[in-house]
Amino acid sequence: MTTTAPRRTRELRAGVTARYATGEFVTSGFAALPGLVLVYYLTDSLAVPALLAGAVVTFAKIWDIIIDPIVGAYSDREFAARGSRRRLMLLGAVVLPVFFVVTFAVPTGTAPLLAAGWVFVAFLLAATGFSFFQVPYNVLPAELVSGYDARTRLLSARVVVLTAAILLYGGGGPALRQVGVELFGTDFGGYLFMAIGAAAIFVVAILVTSSVEKAARGEIATPPKPASRVFSEIAPPRDSIAVQARRGIAMLRSSRPFRTLLATFFTQALAAGGMLAGTQYVATWVLGDDEAVTLLFVALILPAIIAAPLWGVVARRIGKERSYLIATSIFFVAALSLTGLLLVPGYWIVVPIGLVGVAYAGIQALPLSMLPDVIAHDARTNGPGRGGSFSGMWTAGETTGLAFGTTILAVILAISGYLESTAATAVEAQPNSAIFGIVMSFSIVPATLMALSFIPLLRYPLRKKDIDLPTPAPAAPSV
């Protein structure tokens, strides 16, 4: 006779969890800082037309659709051969910081078309370096911990750092830019000073995070060889990169949990990307204060920092899926209320933005903790070896979603008659149509996208019972 017992979960010490969460200083920095200032940098310092500025950011990010699945396949192959994804992450520590700085190093007086080309090439290469880090980083939770609730705790810690990092970059980035302007007397010096500061953080964070595999294995078990039995559930086969890449595309058809989760996250990334890129425009042209962007970020991030661990508590009580629905609903209502800026522009918006922050913590922590569940479920259902491919597709969806959110903003600005500036020639006021476009891109558009994200989210099939399956106890010895 045999009995069943709950599947044992693997936990990590606080120090190892902190090392893993440190990676959000890279993830959030590369999302938040370009999302906040890159289009504004192009339109208001380099005189690039809004539509072209949006195209530059979008097409550089479309590259992620191509490169991320390939990086994911290569990451799986590295893991099979070496039992580690560290080398690829360390390559990102070289490529990302260098080309991030180059992105914001366009010399003063460069013709707008040439400036757009410069930013496009540099940002595309920076995005490639980011992929080298981010794709292995996203698959780590499936390898570091097991169990539905254990992954929620790990990803809740990551989102606490995520929100703190967004505050650092969202508030500190513009502040560093202003310091640079005062030191060097030009916008060129301001943006370059900001980029160098961010790049230094990227390097340190990647070096810390890349050590997490070794630290985790040291407390769980010492692997006798690459892809050891400790990680046997998700260890990938040593297939060619081309085969792995094709497998990554095929899994969109074969894995309904991944397909619905990615569709939800992509749609919500569109909303978040558009709001992030629109923050500076709201501060400058709706509130009439360039420096109000820092206040708006504080109003967004402080509630998010408080809410991030609370979403983990809620998820353990009612499930990640129901919690995710609640977070999405809060975001929808809060974004919709921002249409009031058309009638009464003012600092009352810190209240709905605070609610957006509470919801944002949820729509980050919950799907990120659901992704390793999807990977583990797929390994059990279809066999191991696709963790990096899942992560590559996920990273491509996230980054292109954020980029297309910026594109939507750029299109709205162009249609509504937004006037571009240069460092030498400043626009004193925008037409009412442009103000209307800015407010719509900050309220109605993200609210609509959040409403659309309910469609795939309601079809997500996995629950806790599908992840923490009981395992048979050893059979009693026969007598």
Side-chain angles (χ1 to χ4, degrees):
M1 179 179 179
T2 62
T3 60
T4 60
R7 189 184 185 91
R8 190 173 68 86
T9 63
R10 185 167 64 236
E11 300 281 0
L12 297 175
R13 288 183 293 110
V16 179
T17 298
R19 287 196 203 192
Y20 169 75
T22 299
E24 273 300 331
F25 284 106
V26 183
T27 300
S28 298
F30 192 69
L33 205 50
L36 177 65
V37 303
L38 189 54
V39 171
Y40 192 77
Y41 168 61
L42 286 162
T43 60
D44 283 51
S45 286
L46 303 178
V48 176
L51 202 56
L52 179 57
V56 165
V57 177
T58 300
F59 284 110
K61 284 294 191 178
I62 285 176
W63 171 243
D64 288 322
I65 298 175
I66 300 171
I67 192 65
D68 287 348
I70 295 173
V71 172
Y74 186 81
S75 177
D76 280 343
R77 198 177 184 195
E78 278 278 291
F79 188 83
R82 301 175 181 276
S84 172
R85 304 179 189 271
R86 186 169 185 262
R87 290 203 312 174
L88 205 54
M89 298 172 79
L90 291 176
L91 181 60
V94 177
V95 178
L96 170 59
V98 169
F99 288 103
F100 188 80
V101 171
V102 174
T103 299
F104 291 95
V106 181
T108 302
T110 302
L113 189 59
L114 182 58
W118 175 307
V119 171
F120 172 75
V121 173
F123 193 55
L124 182 146
L125 292 172
T128 302
F130 176 71
S131 181
F132 293 156
F133 168 78
Q134 183 69 8
V135 172
Y137 181 60
N138 273 342
V139 78
L140 283 177
E143 299 167 358
L144 296 175
V145 294
S146 61
Y148 182 90
D149 290 332
R151 292 180 185 129
T152 303
R153 284 187 284 272
L154 178 63
L155 272 300
S156 294
R158 174 176 165 180
V159 173
V160 170
V161 178
L162 178 153
T163 51
I166 291 177
L167 179 60
L168 171 67
Y169 290 106
L176 270 183
R177 181 184 63 193
Q178 188 57 38
V179 170
V181 169
E182 293 173 359
L183 286 175
F184 303 105
T186 63
D187 266 7
F188 170 78
Y191 279 105
L192 188 60
F193 190 70
M194 176 198 72
I196 291 172
I201 297 174
F202 292 163
V203 172
V204 173
I206 292 176
L207 293 177
V208 171
T209 307
S210 64
S211 68
V212 73
E213 284 179 312
K214 183 177 180 180
R217 284 178 174 153
E219 69 177 58
I220 297 168
T222 302
K225 59 182 179 179
S228 70
R229 57 187 172 78
V230 177
F231 300 94
S232 60
E233 289 186 1
I234 39 77
R238 299 188 188 185
D239 290 332
S240 69
I241 292 175
V243 169
Q244 292 274 21
R246 287 196 297 271
R247 185 181 290 136
I249 301 298
M251 70 192 180
L252 283 174
R253 296 191 300 269
S254 64
S255 176
R256 179 185 168 194
F258 183 69
R259 190 169 60 248
T260 54
L261 186 62
L262 180 61
T264 304
F265 198 66
F266 174 80
T267 307
Q268 294 180 352
L270 287 174
M275 289 191 78
L276 182 66
T279 303
Q280 182 69 71
Y281 292 94
V282 170
T284 302
W285 300 114
V286 180
L287 300 181
D289 182 2
D290 283 352
E291 297 182 3
V293 67
T294 300
L295 174 63
L296 297 184
F297 260 85
V298 171
L300 174 74
I301 298 306
L302 285 184
I305 292 174
I306 296 170
L310 298 180
W311 281 116
V313 174
V314 173
R316 287 192 291 275
R317 287 182 175 272
I318 67 173
K320 300 176 191 179
E321 308 75 30
R322 292 171 64 188
S323 302
Y324 197 5
L325 284 168
I326 294 171
T328 302
S329 300
I330 294 173
F331 197 115
F332 167 76
V333 172
L336 192 63
S337 71
L338 290 169
T339 55
L341 285 169
L342 288 173
L343 300 176
V344 187
Y347 288 98
W348 60 266
I349 66 169
V350 298
V351 176
I353 285 179
L355 288 175
V356 168
V358 170
Y360 183 74
I363 67 171
Q364 289 292 309
L366 296 166
L368 285 174
S369 67
M370 292 157 75
L371 176 61
D373 291 341
V374 169
I375 294 173
H377 179 267
D378 180 78
R380 190 165 58 243
T381 304
N382 299 314
R386 304 202 296 182
S389 297
F390 273 111
S391 181
M393 295 296 292
W394 182 270
T395 303
E398 178 182 13
T399 53
T400 54
L402 290 170
F404 277 117
T406 302
T407 303
I408 292 171
L409 169 66
V411 169
I412 292 173
L413 291 177
I415 293 174
S416 61
Y418 183 82
L419 303 176
E420 295 82 19
S421 304
T422 67
T425 306
V427 172
E428 297 297 330
Q430 293 290 343
N432 289 336
S433 59
I435 301 299
F436 179 82
I438 291 170
V439 174
M440 289 297 98
S441 67
F442 201 67
S443 56
I444 291 294
V445 172
T448 301
L449 290 167
M450 280 292 157
L452 290 174
S453 74
F454 281 110
I455 298 172
L457 178 55
L458 289 169
R459 299 183 62 203
Y460 178 77
L462 296 183
R463 300 295 183 265
K464 182 175 181 177
K465 61 182 175 59
D466 301 310
I467 307 302
D468 292 341
L469 294 178
T471 55
S478 57
V479 179

